[in-house]
Amino acid sequence: SLCSRMLGQRPSGGDGSVRHTMSPPAFFTNYPALQAFLLGQLEGAAESLGSPGEGRLHLHPSLHSVLALLAKLQPGVHDETGSLSTFQAPLLQLAASPVYAMREMASKALLAMTPPSEYMSTLLQLAGELPETRVPFCHNRLHGQLLQIRALLGRTLGTDGLAVDTVNVLVEKFESRLWLITSTPKCPLIGSAYLCVAAQLARFCTRSFLDQLHTSLMMELHGPRNRLQVQHRSVLVSHCHRE
């Protein structure tokens, strides 16, 4: 209710959904004191996680409300003043939160606070930080990064004028991490998130990658059902078969 009054949300159709009518720059113009406050809350929560990949559990009672507010802002708006750039670093760090809901909300907030001109550079950064080999890594951080990639891709792939060369670099980075879904033991959350991103990028992926992914998923579908979620596996098998 408070967010609706602050952001000026109104129904967008007969389905009861709402449309966000205030962009981040407009929000901070109307409520300038909140910019430093919200940024401070994010930075404090990010710092409490410890070093990159550590992801210490330290609860911040206000963090979910801060992320929920930022996530409700209108995404896809150009940042003329550059004031949003300071929010991106702590939001990227919050991908390592040990709390699932915080990782999910951080991905939505990152989308709202990232101007379209920085979508691809942020995607390349996130994809480049995914572990390339079976070295020890923070599962929470990896899952959170995949959620952030999924959120940004959902917006990026719907825009015009995508640079093919840049998309190819992103796809190359993503394909080189196929081991995340083929290695043993598997993490269901990471596997599901990886498959969601693979579905988004499928039309750009190489035939070789899709064949390997298809083979892996078929083995999973005919094996024990306690690994990856069957629904996501079935969707990807069908999609890979059509390509």
Side-chain angles (χ1 to χ4, degrees):
S1 176
L2 177 60
C3 285
S4 297
R5 291 196 297 270
M6 292 179 68
L7 304 180
Q9 293 176 336
R10 59 173 180 267
S12 62
D15 59 355
S17 61
V18 296
R19 180 172 59 190
H20 308 307
T21 58
M22 188 176 295
S23 66
F27 177 77
F28 291 128
T29 297
N30 289 340
Y31 308 100
L34 284 180
Q35 183 166 353
F37 172 76
L38 296 176
L39 179 60
Q41 293 294 306
L42 293 178
E43 290 177 336
E47 289 174 5
S48 70
L49 294 175
S51 60
E54 187 176 356
R56 292 198 304 257
L57 178 59
H58 186 87
L59 297 180
H60 287 260
S62 63
L63 180 58
H64 188 274
S65 298
V66 171
L67 291 173
L69 174 61
L70 296 178
K72 290 180 181 296
L73 296 175
Q74 179 185 352
V77 177
H78 294 282
D79 180 22
E80 302 294 342
T81 64
S83 61
L84 303 185
S85 60
T86 53
F87 283 84
Q88 292 171 26
L91 287 172
L92 290 169
Q93 288 177 264
L94 287 171
S97 172
V99 181
Y100 177 93
M102 298 304 175
R103 299 196 298 271
E104 185 77 40
M105 291 303 299
S107 69
K108 296 177 181 178
L110 178 66
L111 173 61
M113 302 303 289
T114 302
S117 60
E118 297 180 25
Y119 283 168
M120 287 306 302
S121 61
T122 305
L123 281 168
L124 290 173
Q125 175 185 341
L126 285 166
E129 292 176 356
L130 299 179
E132 295 186 73
T133 59
R134 294 170 176 80
V135 296
F137 59 88
C138 174
H139 283 71
N140 289 331
R141 182 169 186 258
L142 174 55
H143 177 247
Q145 289 174 321
L146 288 169
L147 292 180
Q148 292 181 343
I149 290 174
R150 184 184 68 182
L152 289 170
L153 274 178
R155 189 82 184 185
T156 304
L157 297 180
T159 60
D160 298 326
L162 281 177
V164 177
D165 291 343
T166 306
V167 174
N168 288 340
V169 173
L170 174 63
V171 169
E172 182 180 353
K173 291 178 180 293
F174 182 74
E175 289 186 354
S176 68
R177 274 70 172 185
L178 180 61
W179 73 271
L180 291 174
I181 201 171
T182 59
S183 64
T184 302
K186 294 179 175 65
C187 171
L189 286 178
I190 291 175
S192 178
Y194 187 92
L195 289 180
C196 287
V197 176
Q200 291 175 299
L201 290 174
R203 71 179 188 269
F204 302 103
C205 292
T206 62
R207 181 73 260 172
S208 173
F209 171 79
L210 293 176
D211 287 344
Q212 292 180 68
L213 184 58
H214 179 269
T215 300
S216 175
L217 293 175
M218 288 301 295
M219 292 176 62
E220 288 287 341
L221 285 171
H222 290 91
R225 298 303 178 92
N226 61 344
R227 294 180 180 176
L228 299 177
Q229 295 180 14
V230 175
Q231 179 180 1
H232 291 295
R233 286 180 288 178
S234 302
V235 170
L236 260 293
V237 167
S238 175
H239 198 109
C240 293
H241 181 71
R242 293 198 304 269
E243 289 292 328

